[in-house]
Amino acid sequence: MGNNIFRVKNLSFSYGKHLVLNHVDLEIKEGNITTLIGANGCGKSTLFHLMTRSLNPQQGSIMLGNEKIFDMKLKTFAKKVAIVHQYNTAPDDLSVEKLVSYGRIPHQKLGKRLDPKAEEEKIRWAMEITDTWKYKEKLVSELSGGQKQRVWIALALAQDTKILFLDEPTTYLDIRYQIQILKLIKKLNREYNITIIMVLHDINQSIYYSDEIIAMKEGRIVAKGCPQTIIDTKLIKEIYGVELEQIRLEQRSFVIPV
């Protein structure tokens, strides 16, 4: 779709003597839904955490536009990039609306009061698009897993960024909530032009909802491109170590995971 928004160059990372990422080069296009896939331990979560500044690179660089992300002030980065992690916690006595309002913190300036009406509109928009406005007075602790996930996405949207990172957003959710979350992600991308970068475990969901897939194995990128172009039985065998059949449905190839 658009220009390259993230550029990763010669990125390596180790936990002790264990090399997790091995000289990774990567470009991610603006306006796409890009999904990282691969077997457990392949390095996709580490790459995600490096690109979202949860980890510091030991070698290489990560560029957002023309600037290295670790040269940015944290507040500046938070105005450009919103993140929904796999594991999220909130105080038991915190209301949904209050939690979502924390997404506006990066835009606050010391000694300068923001327009309350405009701030309320940003928060309400984030909650309405995620269908969480109806829970605004509830405590976060009272919500189901799927409801909480939408609230965390609302918090990220309240940051008012054009880039959204999601780490396994459907994990631990039943199939109904998985589909709701993935349809929401696609809507954010298609209707609001938000660039999505996410990690998914489900290969078929990756195929269906992604513009580009990045397949990883043993700390390296082994394939990158349109799902219909790169996903085949050979690649699945390479990254997951299993042989699975494929079927065509709605002019797309899907995997039979049995």
Side-chain angles (χ1 to χ4, degrees), residues 75 79 101-102 104-110 112 114 119:
K75 212 167 192 180
K79 288 179 181 179
S101 74
Y102 290 162
R104 302 303 302 156
I105 289 175
H107 299 273
Q108 295 174 0
K109 295 180 181 179
L110 189 63
K112 185 176 180 180
L114 297 172
E119 291 300 287

PDB file of all heavy atoms in Angstrom, residues 75 79 101-102 104-110 112 114 119:
ATOM      1  N   LYS A  75       7.496   9.789  25.043  1.00  0.00           N
ATOM      2  CA  LYS A  75       6.225  10.445  24.787  1.00  0.00           C
ATOM      3  C   LYS A  75       6.014  10.656  23.292  1.00  0.00           C
ATOM      4  O   LYS A  75       4.900  10.511  22.775  1.00  0.00           O
ATOM      5  CB  LYS A  75       6.170  11.779  25.527  1.00  0.00           C
ATOM      6  CG  LYS A  75       4.781  12.182  25.982  1.00  0.00           C
ATOM      7  CD  LYS A  75       4.841  13.327  26.958  1.00  0.00           C
ATOM      8  CE  LYS A  75       3.487  13.527  27.613  1.00  0.00           C
ATOM      9  NZ  LYS A  75       3.499  14.640  28.580  1.00  0.00           N
ATOM     10  N   LYS A  79       3.023   8.962  20.844  1.00  0.00           N
ATOM     11  CA  LYS A  79       2.107   9.725  19.997  1.00  0.00           C
ATOM     12  C   LYS A  79       2.015   9.138  18.599  1.00  0.00           C
ATOM     13  O   LYS A  79       1.099   9.459  17.840  1.00  0.00           O
ATOM     14  CB  LYS A  79       2.563  11.184  19.903  1.00  0.00           C
ATOM     15  CG  LYS A  79       2.355  11.973  21.186  1.00  0.00           C
ATOM     16  CD  LYS A  79       2.864  13.397  21.007  1.00  0.00           C
ATOM     17  CE  LYS A  79       2.700  14.205  22.280  1.00  0.00           C
ATOM     18  NZ  LYS A  79       3.215  15.589  22.122  1.00  0.00           N
ATOM     19  N   SER A 101      -9.151   6.483  29.358  1.00  0.00           N
ATOM     20  CA  SER A 101      -8.687   7.884  29.387  1.00  0.00           C
ATOM     21  C   SER A 101      -7.170   7.975  29.539  1.00  0.00           C
ATOM     22  O   SER A 101      -6.567   8.991  29.158  1.00  0.00           O
ATOM     23  CB  SER A 101      -9.368   8.660  30.519  1.00  0.00           C
ATOM     24  OG  SER A 101      -8.843   8.289  31.792  1.00  0.00           O
ATOM     25  N   TYR A 102      -6.537   6.934  30.073  1.00  0.00           N
ATOM     26  CA  TYR A 102      -5.081   6.946  30.219  1.00  0.00           C
ATOM     27  C   TYR A 102      -4.381   6.993  28.858  1.00  0.00           C
ATOM     28  O   TYR A 102      -3.209   7.365  28.784  1.00  0.00           O
ATOM     29  CB  TYR A 102      -4.607   5.722  31.000  1.00  0.00           C
ATOM     30  CG  TYR A 102      -4.979   5.732  32.466  1.00  0.00           C
ATOM     31  CD1 TYR A 102      -4.949   4.569  33.220  1.00  0.00           C
ATOM     32  CD2 TYR A 102      -5.372   6.908  33.105  1.00  0.00           C
ATOM     33  CE1 TYR A 102      -5.285   4.559  34.564  1.00  0.00           C
ATOM     34  CE2 TYR A 102      -5.722   6.911  34.448  1.00  0.00           C
ATOM     35  CZ  TYR A 102      -5.674   5.739  35.176  1.00  0.00           C
ATOM     36  OH  TYR A 102      -6.019   5.745  36.503  1.00  0.00           O
ATOM     37  N   ARG A 104      -4.763   9.121  26.750  1.00  0.00           N
ATOM     38  CA  ARG A 104      -4.525  10.527  26.402  1.00  0.00           C
ATOM     39  C   ARG A 104      -3.284  11.099  27.098  1.00  0.00           C
ATOM     40  O   ARG A 104      -2.881  12.225  26.804  1.00  0.00           O
ATOM     41  CB  ARG A 104      -5.755  11.379  26.785  1.00  0.00           C
ATOM     42  CG  ARG A 104      -7.053  10.950  26.121  1.00  0.00           C
ATOM     43  CD  ARG A 104      -6.932  10.952  24.606  1.00  0.00           C
ATOM     44  NE  ARG A 104      -6.546  12.268  24.112  1.00  0.00           N
ATOM     45  CZ  ARG A 104      -5.938  12.478  22.944  1.00  0.00           C
ATOM     46  NH1 ARG A 104      -5.608  11.455  22.174  1.00  0.00           N
ATOM     47  NH2 ARG A 104      -5.626  13.710  22.560  1.00  0.00           N
ATOM     48  N   ILE A 105      -2.659  10.329  27.979  1.00  0.00           N
ATOM     49  CA  ILE A 105      -1.514  10.832  28.739  1.00  0.00           C
ATOM     50  C   ILE A 105      -0.372  11.339  27.846  1.00  0.00           C
ATOM     51  O   ILE A 105       0.216  12.386  28.127  1.00  0.00           O
ATOM     52  CB  ILE A 105      -1.015   9.755  29.732  1.00  0.00           C
ATOM     53  CG1 ILE A 105      -2.042   9.583  30.863  1.00  0.00           C
ATOM     54  CG2 ILE A 105       0.357  10.111  30.306  1.00  0.00           C
ATOM     55  CD1 ILE A 105      -1.722   8.470  31.840  1.00  0.00           C
ATOM     56  N   PRO A 106      -0.024  10.628  26.746  1.00  0.00           N
ATOM     57  CA  PRO A 106       1.086  11.132  25.916  1.00  0.00           C
ATOM     58  C   PRO A 106       0.860  12.528  25.347  1.00  0.00           C
ATOM     59  O   PRO A 106       1.818  13.205  24.972  1.00  0.00           O
ATOM     60  CB  PRO A 106       1.172  10.089  24.790  1.00  0.00           C
ATOM     61  CG  PRO A 106       0.595   8.849  25.366  1.00  0.00           C
ATOM     62  CD  PRO A 106      -0.499   9.322  26.271  1.00  0.00           C
ATOM     63  N   HIS A 107      -0.388  12.959  25.274  1.00  0.00           N
ATOM     64  CA  HIS A 107      -0.696  14.249  24.665  1.00  0.00           C
ATOM     65  C   HIS A 107      -0.752  15.385  25.693  1.00  0.00           C
ATOM     66  O   HIS A 107      -0.901  16.553  25.314  1.00  0.00           O
ATOM     67  CB  HIS A 107      -2.030  14.163  23.916  1.00  0.00           C
ATOM     68  CG  HIS A 107      -2.008  13.155  22.810  1.00  0.00           C
ATOM     69  ND1 HIS A 107      -1.577  13.450  21.538  1.00  0.00           N
ATOM     70  CD2 HIS A 107      -2.344  11.835  22.803  1.00  0.00           C
ATOM     71  CE1 HIS A 107      -1.655  12.362  20.781  1.00  0.00           C
ATOM     72  NE2 HIS A 107      -2.128  11.375  21.524  1.00  0.00           N
ATOM     73  N   GLN A 108      -0.645  15.037  26.965  1.00  0.00           N
ATOM     74  CA  GLN A 108      -0.680  16.061  28.005  1.00  0.00           C
ATOM     75  C   GLN A 108       0.658  16.786  28.087  1.00  0.00           C
ATOM     76  O   GLN A 108       1.714  16.173  27.927  1.00  0.00           O
ATOM     77  CB  GLN A 108      -1.021  15.420  29.354  1.00  0.00           C
ATOM     78  CG  GLN A 108      -2.412  14.822  29.410  1.00  0.00           C
ATOM     79  CD  GLN A 108      -2.685  14.061  30.695  1.00  0.00           C
ATOM     80  OE1 GLN A 108      -1.821  13.967  31.573  1.00  0.00           O
ATOM     81  NE2 GLN A 108      -3.886  13.518  30.812  1.00  0.00           N
ATOM     82  N   LYS A 109       0.595  18.085  28.314  1.00  0.00           N
ATOM     83  CA  LYS A 109       1.805  18.898  28.439  1.00  0.00           C
ATOM     84  C   LYS A 109       1.822  19.569  29.803  1.00  0.00           C
ATOM     85  O   LYS A 109       0.797  20.036  30.294  1.00  0.00           O
ATOM     86  CB  LYS A 109       1.846  19.953  27.326  1.00  0.00           C
ATOM     87  CG  LYS A 109       1.965  19.373  25.931  1.00  0.00           C
ATOM     88  CD  LYS A 109       2.009  20.475  24.883  1.00  0.00           C
ATOM     89  CE  LYS A 109       2.114  19.892  23.486  1.00  0.00           C
ATOM     90  NZ  LYS A 109       2.138  20.950  22.439  1.00  0.00           N
ATOM     91  N   LEU A 110       3.009  19.589  30.389  1.00  0.00           N
ATOM     92  CA  LEU A 110       3.160  20.165  31.710  1.00  0.00           C
ATOM     93  C   LEU A 110       2.747  21.634  31.706  1.00  0.00           C
ATOM     94  O   LEU A 110       3.241  22.430  30.903  1.00  0.00           O
ATOM     95  CB  LEU A 110       4.620  20.042  32.166  1.00  0.00           C
ATOM     96  CG  LEU A 110       4.913  20.409  33.624  1.00  0.00           C
ATOM     97  CD1 LEU A 110       4.179  19.465  34.567  1.00  0.00           C
ATOM     98  CD2 LEU A 110       6.414  20.372  33.895  1.00  0.00           C
ATOM     99  N   LYS A 112      -0.020  22.907  30.760  1.00  0.00           N
ATOM    100  CA  LYS A 112      -0.976  23.291  29.714  1.00  0.00           C
ATOM    101  C   LYS A 112      -2.179  22.352  29.757  1.00  0.00           C
ATOM    102  O   LYS A 112      -2.039  21.140  29.642  1.00  0.00           O
ATOM    103  CB  LYS A 112      -0.318  23.243  28.336  1.00  0.00           C
ATOM    104  CG  LYS A 112      -1.225  23.741  27.221  1.00  0.00           C
ATOM    105  CD  LYS A 112      -0.498  23.763  25.888  1.00  0.00           C
ATOM    106  CE  LYS A 112      -1.417  24.262  24.778  1.00  0.00           C
ATOM    107  NZ  LYS A 112      -0.731  24.302  23.458  1.00  0.00           N
ATOM    108  N   LEU A 114      -5.422  20.638  28.275  1.00  0.00           N
ATOM    109  CA  LEU A 114      -6.011  20.308  26.993  1.00  0.00           C
ATOM    110  C   LEU A 114      -7.506  20.605  27.004  1.00  0.00           C
ATOM    111  O   LEU A 114      -8.129  20.663  28.067  1.00  0.00           O
ATOM    112  CB  LEU A 114      -5.768  18.834  26.668  1.00  0.00           C
ATOM    113  CG  LEU A 114      -4.300  18.417  26.506  1.00  0.00           C
ATOM    114  CD1 LEU A 114      -4.192  16.903  26.373  1.00  0.00           C
ATOM    115  CD2 LEU A 114      -3.669  19.094  25.303  1.00  0.00           C
ATOM    116  N   GLU A 119     -10.908  16.146  24.412  1.00  0.00           N
ATOM    117  CA  GLU A 119     -10.384  14.935  25.042  1.00  0.00           C
ATOM    118  C   GLU A 119     -11.498  13.910  25.258  1.00  0.00           C
ATOM    119  O   GLU A 119     -11.316  12.716  25.008  1.00  0.00           O
ATOM    120  CB  GLU A 119      -9.720  15.281  26.377  1.00  0.00           C
ATOM    121  CG  GLU A 119      -8.439  16.082  26.234  1.00  0.00           C
ATOM    122  CD  GLU A 119      -7.386  15.336  25.441  1.00  0.00           C
ATOM    123  OE1 GLU A 119      -6.813  14.381  25.975  1.00  0.00           O
ATOM    124  OE2 GLU A 119      -7.145  15.703  24.273  1.00  0.00           O
TER     125      GLU A 119
END
